[in-house]
Amino acid sequence: MNGRMRVAAASLLALSLTLTACSGTSGQASTDDVKLTVWSWDGTVEAAVEGFQEEHPNITVDVVNAGSSYDEYKALDNAIQAGSGVPDIVMFEYFSIPYFAIPGKLTDLSEQAAGFKDDYVPAAWNNVSIDGGVYALPSDYGPAAMFYNQATFEKAGVTEAPTTWDEFYEAAKKIHALGDEYYITNDSADIFMLLSLIWQAGGRPFDVDGTNVSIDFEGAETTQAVEYWQKLLDEGLINTEIAGWSDEWNRALNDGTLATQITGGWLTSTLPERAPDAAGDFRVAPLPQWEEGPQVGAENGGSAMGIPEASQNKEAAFLFLEYFTHGDGVQTRVDEGAFVPNTKILESDEFRNQTNEYFGDQTYNAVLAQASENVATGWQYPPFFEWARTAYGDISADYYSTGNGSLAEILDEWKTQMTDYGNEQGFTVK
C-alpha cells in the first residue's frame, strides 16, 4: 500500500467511525446499494463516474446539471429548507462556499480529508478551509493569467508579452494606436477581473471571522490596483462596450481587435471555440507584475465540491468525492479538459510538456501550472458574495455606460450596500 492509499484508507476509516457515531444520520454500510445524486455544471465530473462505479458496483452516481451556479445555489437552499430533494454532492464556486458552510449547511470534512492538503496548491486549499473546518474539496482551478494575441502585439510593435503592469500600460497605448476598434482588453464591470488585480497587489478587502465580516477598499494595495485600472479606463485604453461572453466579444477575439484577456486558466478550454480564426495566434503568459522580482499570482474562478449536511448518503458521497478530486478520477477529468489544482498533476512533466496547436504549440500548461503555484494566499470572500456580485453589476452599470463617476466611488457604494445587506442577513458587517 503506497502513501496515498494509506492516507485514503485512514481517511475513510475516520469517516466511517464518524458516521457510525452519528447514529440516525446518513451512514450506511459500504456494501449497501446506494444511489448518489451529484449537482454539477462541470462535464468532466460525469467522465469519472464509470471508473468509480467499476470500483464500487453497489454505488450508482447520477450527475445532474442543476442550471447556472445561481440557479443551483437557489435550488439547494430551497431543498434544504424543504427537507427534501437535497443532493449528496454539490459543486460550488469557491466564493460561495462560506455562504453554505458558515450556517452549517455543509459537512465538515476535516477528519476525512486530513491527509489531502498537500495534494492541492495552497490557495485552492485556503478556499475550502473556513474557521478551522474543511467544507469541500477543490475540483478545478482558475489561476489568473494573460491570454494574448501575439499577431496583434507584433502588429502594434509589442515584441514581448508585458511582464509588469507598467509595460502592459505602454502596450495598451500602442495597440489602441492601431485604430479605434483596437484595445488591449475589455472591461464591462467585471468584478472578478478587478478583484484579481487587487488580490495580486496584496489587497485583502474582505476579512471573515465566523459571522463577523469587515470590508475595506481603502488599503494601500487595493488603492494601487484600483487607481491603475482607473487610469487605463480614463485614457480610453480599455473597451468598456464589449461584454464578456457576448457575440461581440467572440468577434473581437476572433479578429484580433481585443488583444488580451486577463482571466482564469480555464479559458484554454473555450477560447478555441470562440475565436477559431485566431488559431495559432494566441499565447498564454503569467500575470504582469506590480514590481519586478518574485512572481505573485491571483485567482479568477474555480470550483470545489462539498457534501450537504442534509445528505442521506455521506459515506458513499465521500467515496466519490475523494475519487474524482483526489484519487484516480482526477486524471480522467484532466484527460477530458479539466484544469485541476492537484499538485501531482501540475508538477508532472506529462502535463507541463503538453502542447496545443491553437496556442502555437506553446507548452501552455507549464505557464498555468506555475501561475497556480504563484497564487497568493489569505484571500477571503464575504459569505453573501453571490448577492454582492450582482449588486456590483447594478451599481457600476451607469459608470460603464456613461463614464460618470469612478471605480473608487463604485466600491464605496458597494461597501455600503454589502454592509446593509449583510447585517440584515444576521452577519455583523462593518
Side-chain angles (χ1 to χ4, degrees):
M1 181 179 289
N2 60 34
R4 183 173 65 77
M5 295 173 65
R6 284 194 294 271
V7 168
S11 299
L12 293 176
L13 176 59
L15 175 65
S16 178
L17 292 173
T18 300
L19 294 174
T20 300
C22 300
S23 60
T25 56
S26 58
Q28 68 287 308
S30 61
T31 55
D32 291 346
D33 288 337
V34 178
K35 180 179 179 179
L36 295 176
T37 300
V38 180
W39 285 4
S40 171
W41 57 82
D42 179 353
T44 68
V45 174
E46 190 159 11
V49 169
E50 182 178 353
F52 174 78
Q53 291 184 159
E54 288 177 356
E55 292 186 10
H56 302 278
N58 62 310
I59 302 175
T60 302
V61 180
D62 183 21
V63 180
V64 177
N65 187 333
S68 68
S69 57
Y70 174 83
D71 292 338
E72 185 200 87
Y73 304 150
K74 186 177 180 180
L76 179 60
D77 251 344
N78 290 340
I80 292 172
Q81 186 171 0
S84 173
V86 178
D88 301 298
I89 299 176
V90 181
M91 186 174 191
F92 300 97
E93 292 157 289
Y94 287 124
F95 68 77
S96 67
I97 295 173
Y99 172 79
F100 291 97
I102 291 175
K105 299 176 181 177
L106 289 180
T107 303
D108 184 356
L109 306 172
S110 298
E111 294 186 15
Q112 301 93 305
F116 295 4
K117 179 179 178 179
D118 290 343
D119 189 33
Y120 303 99
V121 295
W125 189 255
N126 180 75
N127 288 331
V128 300
S129 304
I130 300 168
D131 293 337
V134 175
Y135 291 92
L137 294 182
S139 59
D140 63 65
Y141 203 49
M146 181 174 67
F147 292 78
Y148 67 99
N149 188 312
Q150 184 167 271
T152 301
F153 270 34
E154 291 176 349
K155 187 176 180 180
V158 181
T159 57
E160 296 183 359
T163 60
T164 66
W165 288 112
D166 286 340
E167 291 179 4
F168 185 87
Y169 169 67
E170 296 300 326
K173 291 190 288 186
K174 291 181 179 179
I175 290 168
H176 196 45
L178 291 173
D180 291 344
E181 72 275 26
Y182 280 87
Y183 291 90
I184 196 164
T185 192
N186 63 305
D187 175 22
S188 58
D190 183 351
I191 185 56
F192 289 105
M193 192 282 299
L194 182 60
L195 290 180
S196 70
L197 296 184
I198 295 171
W199 184 327
Q200 186 204 25
R204 295 293 181 269
F206 308 114
D207 184 74
V208 183
D209 182 7
T211 57
N212 297 311
V213 180
S214 64
I215 303 171
D216 179 8
F217 292 117
E218 296 181 353
E221 297 86 355
T222 299
T223 300
Q224 177 188 19
V226 172
E227 289 184 346
Y228 171 81
W229 201 246
Q230 185 70 65
K231 179 175 72 172
L232 271 69
L233 289 167
D234 289 345
E235 295 184 18
L237 299 176
I238 306 296
N239 188 318
T240 58
E241 297 179 352
I242 295 180
W245 313 108
S246 65
D247 291 342
E248 188 69 7
W249 184 63
N250 294 340
R251 181 200 60 75
L253 291 173
N254 208 33
D255 66 18
T257 50
L258 275 183
T260 77
Q261 290 292 289
I262 305 297
T263 191
W266 37 262
L267 190 62
T268 54
S269 64
T270 185
L271 186 58
E273 297 177 2
R274 294 181 175 278
D277 293 346
D281 291 337
F282 270 98
R283 303 287 186 274
V284 186
L287 278 184
Q289 297 293 300
W290 293 104
E291 298 177 356
E292 293 184 359
Q295 295 282 303
V296 180
E299 190 180 286
N300 189 333
S303 56
M305 306 288 278
I307 300 174
E309 183 63 32
S311 166
Q312 297 300 301
N313 302 294
K314 289 183 181 176
E315 182 180 359
F318 188 79
L319 286 170
F320 184 57
L321 183 62
E322 187 277 338
Y323 179 81
F324 78 87
T325 64
H326 178 74
D328 293 342
V330 174
Q331 185 61 56
T332 302
R333 295 179 53 240
V334 170
D335 293 342
E336 292 294 319
F339 190 88
V340 300
N342 301 75
T343 53
K344 63 189 174 193
I345 297 294
L346 298 177
E347 294 173 358
S348 73
D349 289 340
E350 179 182 359
F351 180 77
R352 285 181 172 246
N353 292 333
Q354 185 176 345
T355 60
N356 187 320
E357 187 176 352
Y358 185 85
F359 296 105
D361 287 327
Q362 178 190 18
T363 52
Y364 64 103
N365 275 342
V367 178
L368 295 175
Q370 188 61 53
S372 300
E373 296 172 0
N374 291 342
V375 176
T377 58
W379 182 272
Q380 291 180 300
Y381 284 105
F384 39 81
F385 192 80
E386 176 64 23
W387 175 89
R389 66 169 173 170
T390 301
Y392 181 85
D394 294 340
I395 296 167
S396 60
D398 181 62
Y399 170 73
Y400 279 93
S401 61
T402 68
N404 296 326
S406 69
L407 293 176
E409 291 172 353
I410 292 169
L411 292 174
D412 188 51
E413 176 60 22
W414 195 35
K415 175 184 176 180
T416 297
Q417 292 196 16
M418 281 193 287
T419 301
D420 292 344
Y421 179 83
N423 285 321
E424 290 171 2
Q425 299 304 307
F427 298 97
T428 301
V429 186
K430 60 181 181 180

